[in-house]
Amino acid sequence: MSSSTNTNFKQYLVSAKPKGAAIPAGLQDLLLAVVNTCSTLSHEVAQGALIGLLGSAGSGNVQGEVQQKLDIIANDQLMDGVKGCKSLAGLASEEMELPVPVQGTGDYLLLFDPLDGSSNIDVNVSIGTIFSILKKQDPNAPLQTSDFLLSGRHQVAAGYVVYGPQTTMALTLGDGVVMFTLNKETGEFLLIKDAVTISPATKEFAINMSNMRHWADPVRRYVEECLAGTTGARDKDFNMRWIASMVADVHRVLSRGGVFMYPWDKRDPKKAGKLRLMYEANPMSFLVEQAGGASINGTQTIMDLQPTGLHERVSVMLGSKEEIDRLRQYHS
């Protein structure tokens, strides 16, 4: 893994040749618009209570979850930030029921979770923006919801920006993963890591242990074996982490390996999981796979799932490949 502090994001997009080809100009414009908006959001997240942005907005999103003030602000800013992109046909957000047309014709579709982990806003824990970009199958046809319902394999780009002690972005264009950190003095994202890789082996896992009694048997077995450490079947001690912000938990996995799990549980057995396939699971799975890891819903590879709705939920287990292979084996 090499590093640099001189290449800014725009320079990277111009010079990069994923899979041997230059990044199309329209995709460059869209990625720049998203990332520039995240630079602005980073400043507002950091100001928090000083500019009156903390607390509940007193409303709910399409899933019935309580929205924070910053949820709505982030959603509106991302929409405003990309609406001038001529290559963008339409966008969809976790916070909105239906997709929104942007241009009459365009090559790309944008999906985003404007502020992942927003329940952590008021307690100053890392949160972030997750995004996924698809190629519109027919750029000249009117926008329909079905245009977005493509498996994760159709993503041409995906990434996240995590607002923490540093504001850091991870990005994949289908040819590995790169990371950038925001220089807050200049407002530029600068390249800090390329060829990000996840170690296939790990001694660290992240899961919400308070739900253990509700898990399916394969997940319970896996976690119990981890907890048993050197006295159990795994014959090694594990550390457990849980931030309750997917973007922060996955950033840790990309940075130093590990496993992140948000599995199905029997509290609401009709729901396949908690996380959204289109806005969270697919983009994060793309990143993790491109870094050499794996991502499953238990039995199936997440990137191979055919979505049936914009706000479909899914069980997620991702990270170091050896551990995900073990979880898949336990589920089978």
Side-chain angles (χ1 to χ4, degrees), residues 232-310:
R234 300 302 306 276
D235 195 29
K236 64 178 180 179
D237 290 325
F238 283 76
N239 289 323
M240 191 187 77
R241 300 286 185 263
W242 183 249
I243 303 174
S245 168
M246 184 191 193
V247 70
D249 277 310
V250 173
H251 184 64
R252 185 185 57 250
V253 170
L254 276 176
S255 298
R256 69 183 196 199
V259 176
F260 167 83
M261 294 172 281
Y262 208 136
W264 171 91
D265 68 54
K266 61 187 178 184
R267 288 174 298 172
D268 195 346
K270 292 182 180 179
K271 284 184 179 177
K274 169 72 172 175
L275 299 175
R276 283 75 175 180
L277 175 61
M278 305 301 291
Y279 308 106
E280 295 165 318
N282 268 342
M284 292 307 205
S285 297
F286 194 14
L287 286 161
V288 166
E289 281 197 13
Q290 286 295 316
S295 179
I296 60 174
N297 66 356
T299 57
Q300 298 167 286
T301 299
I302 284 177
M303 292 265 284
D304 292 334
L305 297 176
Q306 173 58 49
T308 57
L310 266 182

Side-chain angles (χ1 to χ4, degrees), residues 137-152:
Q137 302 297 291
D138 183 353
N140 297 311
L143 186 73
Q144 301 180 67
T145 299
S146 58
D147 292 329
F148 293 84
L149 301 183
L150 303 172
S151 77

Side-chain angles (χ1 to χ4, degrees), residues 5 42-43 57 59 69 141 144-145 167 173 179-180 197 217 252 329:
T5 55
S42 173
H43 175 74
S59 59
K69 291 176 183 176
Q144 301 180 67
T145 299
T167 294
L173 296 163
M179 282 189 182
F180 299 79
T197 56
D217 290 342
R252 185 185 57 250
Q329 176 188 344

